[in-house]
Amino acid sequence: MKSIITIVLIMLITALSAQVVLDERYHTYEEIIQEISELQANHPDIVSVHVIGSTLGADPYQDPIPIYAVKLSNNVGIDEDEPSVMNAGQCHAEEVLGVEVVMHMLHEIVANRMVDPYNVWLDNLEMWFVPTYNPEGLQVVMDGRDITYRKNQRDNNENGILDFVVGAGGEIDGVDTNRNYGFNWIHGDPFGVGGPEEWNDYYRGPGPFSEGGTQAIRNLAEQQHFIYSINWHSSRTGFFSEKVYYPSNWAGVHPTPDLALSQSIGESVAALIMKEDNTGPYEPYASSGRKGNAHDWFYKAHGTIQLLIECGTQNLQPNNDPPEYLVDDTCERCSEGAYWLFNRALGYNAPGAMLIGNVTDVDSANPLVAEVIIEEADASYFDPRLTDELYGRYWRPLLPGTYTMRVVKEGYEEQLVENITVNSSSWKEEDVQLTPIPEVLVNGNVYSNGNPIDATIIVDNGEYFDADTIDVVNGIFDFSNYEGEHQITTFASGCVPNIQLVTFPAGTYDLDIDLSEAVEVFTEDWEGDLSVWNIMGDWAITSSSIIGDHSVTDSPDEFYDDSSTATITTINPINMNSVSNDVNLTFWHKYYVEHDYDNCYIEYSFDGSNWTELAQFSGVSNDW
């Protein structure tokens, strides 16, 4: 009897450890390539296949794998002056339904290319589809090695093999590509551990955009200026299944400036996708977490309203009888939401509230790459929302209302357009012509006590443009800029910084700068301890520095607590009785705090009780 029990146990163990292979209904990477290639060969007028990047590989066990995107449009070989939209099918390896939704839409649109509304989309949109941007992970799942695998195949421990544990979690290798985008990447690790030792399914990677998949999506987005996008996901736990997430309301209390627009779009898409059990539509929610994901980055970088749609139920890879029924049914239901988004981009059988226009040079009529700011829907953390280089075109989805638009480009006069009325029935077109500002060549010298010296000049170019930094060697400098008033800051070792407002005329301008010798009354290089400072919070000496070996940080563990205040204050007053009224405080710093909600302050006090603010910083400055 004992021998029989042993045999039964061995059989059970063998069965549990056997590979599980997904149904043939699901696309392998090779089948994706074959089908999109056939679509292009059979319909070259409306289908174009592009390699938009590749995985980075994991030498020696994984060669780089091309990442494909398919463009659907009439005149598909031309980058037309039309709205662009994108659907990305698979970022997490196990979430293969995203591949099927994208492939379904590709085939359906092409098959119905002569029928409304498909022909309307082809005539007036540029539609982009990325079936997978994690083909490495797709291989692990489709080969049956682990159908619960989530990440790509980055070799984190560099041992030359793919280390993973069959079953959810515990992976040594791989990166979660939806924690790898460049906005809030620092928060992408829910376990608070960075580096290759982080063995979990949500590892954010060694740096923002460190992975080939996220690089490919980033580059495509920068080229195409997508108005709307969908990233298709599935929920392994079922807690997030059949939901539509739109950007965003962090922690439920930090909304984006145009949350109402995103909400209206998310709710409209969700209402059109019925749940698998037909009990109602998908549920819409504002995304609430900051973790280096795609939709936050798309919104911050380009103003793209990207939805994260969790399609399907906890059954990530349905395999019903017949096996293809539930997969096809899920694809058909989900595509209804995506198709409404196409209509919304055109104002075709959907609200059409959109501000559009071209920005051109008033003299040449040439298109310009300029920043377009809608003041009622702007935030300090936005990247410049730029017009495209071919047409100078901008597209701004909005809710009906009245708006103010500011258009800026370095070397051109700023243009402010007020009282723009946008309604839901049609696009509002507002073309803008910018007037060039005459150039100026600035020449000069920097002295101290009559002697030429090495120095650095910072030229402030206004709120919307980066400052210029000019290195002065042996007292001599020259640089190009534009007519108008600029703040010029000059500093050199051992000298008092000089700050002045200078009005540059067109043509050439001579500028001589004389720096006074500095009298140093206080300095701190953080090479010692903190014994001369009063501290509140977690301040500590760190080895990160631009001068010497050390600096001080309020967050030695990388993150600071919610609702916390950290201050560091000199114990002894700084005696300035021996110096003139021309006093400067100079310091090196960098910071990473939540934009607009958390702040860094520099303050001074004459009595230690009443404090006056000298400077304030918020957001991100990664460089010293």
Side-chain angles (χ1 to χ4, degrees), residues 261-583:
L261 169 66
S262 297
Q263 181 177 353
S264 70
I265 291 170
E267 289 177 347
S268 297
V269 170
L272 292 171
I273 307 176
M274 293 303 296
K275 292 182 177 179
E276 184 180 303
D277 62 7
N278 206 34
T279 58
Y282 276 30
E283 301 167 17
Y285 295 95
S287 63
S288 60
R290 300 169 297 172
K291 47 195 171 188
N293 52 32
H295 54 267
D296 280 344
W297 177 81
F298 267 87
Y299 175 77
K300 174 253 191 184
H302 300 291
T304 304
I305 304 295
Q306 183 178 86
L307 306 178
L308 186 158
I309 300 183
E310 300 278 5
C311 61
T313 64
Q314 185 177 358
N315 186 3
L316 280 177
Q317 301 131 351
N319 188 15
N320 284 9
D321 186 17
E324 69 275 5
Y325 168 74
L326 188 53
V327 177
D328 290 345
D329 181 62
T330 301
C331 292
E332 290 169 5
R333 286 183 286 108
C334 286
S335 62
E336 291 300 314
Y339 292 161
W340 180 88
L341 212 53
F342 296 170
N343 287 334
R344 210 306 182 172
L346 295 174
Y348 175 76
N349 294 330
M354 180 102 76
L355 178 60
I356 72 168
N358 297 90
V359 180
T360 56
D361 184 297
V362 69
D363 296 329
S364 67
N366 290 331
L368 297 175
V369 176
E371 181 178 359
V372 177
I373 301 160
I374 309 300
E375 295 199 341
E376 293 79 4
D378 190 38
S380 64
Y381 59 86
F382 285 178
D383 289 347
R385 308 288 175 79
L386 301 176
T387 58
D388 71 55
E389 61 183 10
L390 286 180
Y391 301 100
R393 170 68 70 183
Y394 67 90
W395 312 86
R396 290 292 181 273
L398 297 165
L399 290 176
T402 302
Y403 296 92
T404 300
M405 178 175 67
R406 190 180 303 272
V407 182
V408 297
K409 179 176 177 60
E410 189 169 12
Y412 286 82
E413 294 179 5
E414 180 181 306
Q415 183 89 321
L416 184 69
V417 187
E418 299 178 297
N419 298 316
I420 302 172
T421 300
V422 176
N423 59 55
S424 61
S425 60
S426 63
W427 292 345
K428 170 63 176 177
E429 187 160 6
E430 192 72 48
D431 293 335
V432 176
Q433 295 178 318
L434 296 183
T435 301
I437 300 173
E439 292 189 12
V440 58
L441 176 62
V442 181
N443 303 283
N445 301 272
V446 178
Y447 301 97
S448 181
N449 289 329
N451 298 313
I453 59 171
D454 295 343
T456 300
I457 296 175
I458 305 294
V459 183
D460 186 0
N461 292 312
E463 178 181 359
Y464 301 105
F465 310 111
D466 292 336
D468 293 329
T469 301
I470 295 95
D471 292 325
V472 180
V473 179
N474 294 326
I476 301 172
F477 67 87
D478 64 81
F479 61 89
S480 297
N481 208 286
Y482 299 96
E483 180 184 75
E485 188 177 74
H486 299 264
Q487 178 174 287
I488 307 296
T489 303
T490 309
F491 59 92
S493 177
C495 296
V496 178
N498 176 279
I499 302 173
Q500 56 183 311
L501 287 176
V502 179
T503 300
F504 294 152
T508 59
Y509 184 75
D510 294 326
L511 176 64
D512 287 342
I513 301 168
D514 192 11
L515 299 183
S516 303
E517 277 191 58
V519 177
E520 191 174 272
V521 295
F522 175 81
T523 185
E524 172 63 88
D525 58 12
W526 310 110
E527 297 303 313
D529 56 27
L530 299 178
S531 59
V532 298
W533 294 87
N534 277 324
I535 292 174
M536 182 177 72
D538 297 326
W539 294 88
I541 299 294
T542 174
S543 58
S544 172
S545 183
I546 189 172
I547 296 176
D549 297 322
H550 300 97
S551 63
V552 70
T553 177
D554 72 302
S555 304
D557 295 325
E558 190 171 54
F559 299 106
Y560 53 87
D561 294 331
D562 290 343
S563 303
S564 63
T565 299
T567 62
I568 185 166
T569 313
T570 55
I571 293 176
N572 297 315
I574 300 170
N575 189 333
M576 294 188 290
N577 290 329
S578 62
V579 300
S580 68
N581 290 330
D582 187 13
V583 177

Side-chain angles (χ1 to χ4, degrees), residues 110-300:
V110 172
N112 295 279
R113 61 194 177 279
M114 306 300 293
V115 181
D116 288 345
Y118 306 94
N119 59 351
V120 175
W121 303 335
L122 288 166
D123 288 344
N124 298 281
L125 284 175
E126 295 195 337
M127 296 170 283
W128 287 82
F129 300 86
V130 182
T132 173
Y133 62 96
N134 182 11
E136 291 180 341
L138 183 63
Q139 284 185 339
V140 175
V141 173
M142 295 306 297
D143 290 349
R145 285 180 280 172
D146 183 5
I147 65 169
T148 69
Y149 195 76
R150 176 182 175 89
K151 300 187 287 183
N152 65 11
Q153 291 194 38
R154 173 181 280 274
D155 186 9
N156 288 328
N157 58 3
E158 299 182 347
N159 67 349
I161 59 175
L162 176 61
D163 294 301
F164 66 95
V165 178
V166 175
E171 319 294 5
I172 296 174
D173 283 337
V175 168
D176 180 343
T177 48
N178 204 36
R179 300 292 187 275
N180 190 241
Y181 285 85
F183 185 42
N184 287 325
W185 168 86
I186 195 72
H187 299 291
D189 167 24
F191 299 100
V193 181
E197 70 276 10
E198 184 180 348
W199 296 354
N200 68 71
D201 271 1
Y202 304 94
Y203 175 42
R204 66 193 177 197
F209 290 112
S210 61
E211 307 309 296
T214 49
Q215 291 172 17
I217 295 295
R218 176 197 62 192
N219 296 344
L220 182 65
E222 290 175 349
Q223 296 164 9
Q224 299 303 321
H225 301 266
F226 297 118
I227 301 173
Y228 303 120
S229 174
I230 297 176
N231 213 315
W232 294 95
H233 288 256
S234 302
S235 171
R236 69 162 52 151
T237 64
F239 295 143
F240 308 105
S241 296
E242 300 186 310
K243 294 178 174 59
V244 174
Y245 293 93
Y246 51 86
S248 64
N249 189 9
W250 297 332
V253 292
H254 295 175
T256 61
D258 48 4
L259 177 63
L261 169 66
S262 297
Q263 181 177 353
S264 70
I265 291 170
E267 289 177 347
S268 297
V269 170
L272 292 171
I273 307 176
M274 293 303 296
K275 292 182 177 179
E276 184 180 303
D277 62 7
N278 206 34
T279 58
Y282 276 30
E283 301 167 17
Y285 295 95
S287 63
S288 60
R290 300 169 297 172
K291 47 195 171 188
N293 52 32
H295 54 267
D296 280 344
W297 177 81
F298 267 87
Y299 175 77
K300 174 253 191 184

